Structure formats: C-alpha cells, structure tokens
Amino acid sequence: MFKKLTLAMSMALFASYSYAHCQDGHATQPHHAESTIQVTDTVLVENARVKATIPGIKVSSGYFSITNSGDAPLRFVAAETSASQHTEFHRMFMRDSKMAMRKVDYIEVEPKQTFELTPGGYHLMFMGVTQQLKPDTSLVITLIEQSGERYQFSMPIVANEKH
C-alpha cells in the first residue's frame, strides 16, 4: 500500500511539474520592462522569470542569468521565497533517452562569468507553491551564498506560451 501511495504521489508531482515546467519545451521570455537587475555592485541578474501556475498546481520553475563581475567565485547553496514551501536548484539531464531532473546542492558563478538557469538545464524549482502564481505579478527571491550572504531580487511571473 505504501509503495503504491508513494508511486502515486511521485507521479502526481511529476505531472504537475511537467505541466508547469515543460508545457511546450520553449523558454518563456518575460514581458517586463526591467529585464536587468543590478543586485549588488558585482552581481547582475538578467531575464528573470517564473512560470505562472493554474489552480491546483503546486510546482513551478524559475530561470535567469546571473553574472559575477567580482574577483571571487560565488557559491549559492540555497534559494527561498515566501510563495513556496521549498525552493531548490535543479538540473535537467538525459537518462536512458528520457529527460530527468535532479536537485543540485549549489550553483557556482565563477569570477567574470555568467551562469544560466534555463528550461532544459539548471533552474529554480518551487515546490509546495502556497498561492497561485499569476502573470504580471512577481516573486521576491533570495539566493543564499555559502558565506551566508543573501542576495534578494524580484522575478516577474510570466504566462506559459503556447505554439
């Protein structure tokens, strides 16, 4: 019984994730005037966006580019928002000719480099979403560096595009 319940819950989570994350397989560009955010003197975020959800869907994903213009690497070990119970860094990859997803413990942005969080690659995963994520609103996201320093910025919520 427990195995069946676990399997059913896993399938429901994957189905919800698939709808929120991979509905059409295309990146959704933000329809927002501010696509570049200077978070600190050395941290720049560009093209930040979170996929909107429909009622009942409790997962979503977020994407952005983060540039480190400083002289030391930045290792982000956590992310959080009040809009979800858990926010994690995830990575999509191919396994046995199928797309799979796995949590990663951190993302690292090397000095003078840009790290991309994109559909089909590294991304933020919002699980246990506590409210419907509606287009033309935004989420405040906090990235937490290994040193404990916190980097906060706003990510616009965008509709899923259909082609």
Side-chain angles (χ1 to χ4, degrees):
M1 177 69 176
F2 181 72
K3 286 183 181 181
K4 287 181 182 180
L5 180 60
T6 303
L7 178 60
M9 289 175 64
S10 297
M11 290 175 65
L13 177 62
F14 183 75
S16 296
Y17 168 77
S18 296
Y19 181 85
H21 182 72
C22 300
Q23 185 175 4
D24 63 7
H26 292 89
T28 304
Q29 294 300 316
H31 302 287
H32 191 271
E34 184 183 357
S35 64
T36 301
I37 305 162
Q38 191 72 46
V39 180
T40 69
D41 290 346
T42 59
V43 176
L44 179 75
V45 169
E46 296 179 284
N47 299 318
R49 63 219 184 261
V50 174
K51 284 196 170 187
T53 60
I54 60 172
I57 300 296
K58 300 294 182 193
V59 296
S60 187
S61 50
Y63 316 104
F64 56 90
S65 299
I66 185 165
T67 301
N68 174 9
S69 62
D71 295 324
L74 296 172
R75 180 176 283 193
F76 296 103
V77 296
E80 60 188 27
T81 180
S82 63
S84 69
Q85 294 173 356
H86 303 285
T87 303
E88 300 175 344
F89 298 112
H90 281 217
R91 180 178 66 93
M92 299 292 294
F93 59 95
M94 293 297 289
R95 179 177 32 192
D96 299 327
S97 301
K98 296 178 185 170
M99 282 300 271
M101 177 179 62
R102 177 158 298 154
K103 177 186 176 196
V104 294
D105 293 329
Y106 63 88
I107 60 168
E108 188 162 288
V109 187
E110 295 296 329
K112 315 292 188 240
Q113 298 291 315
T114 298
F115 191 95
E116 302 276 338
L117 288 91
T118 61
Y122 288 90
H123 58 278
L124 283 179
M125 193 72 207
F126 305 103
M127 296 174 294
V129 173
T130 58
Q131 63 195 44
Q132 184 180 353
L133 303 180
K134 296 180 180 181
D136 301 320
T137 61
S138 62
L139 293 183
V140 174
I141 306 295
T142 302
L143 297 180
I144 304 165
E145 193 188 353
Q146 189 171 20
S147 68
E149 189 167 351
R150 300 168 73 84
Y151 299 79
Q152 192 173 74
F153 58 95
S154 182
M155 293 179 69
I157 300 171
V158 297
N160 292 315
E161 292 180 349
K162 294 178 183 172
H163 297 279

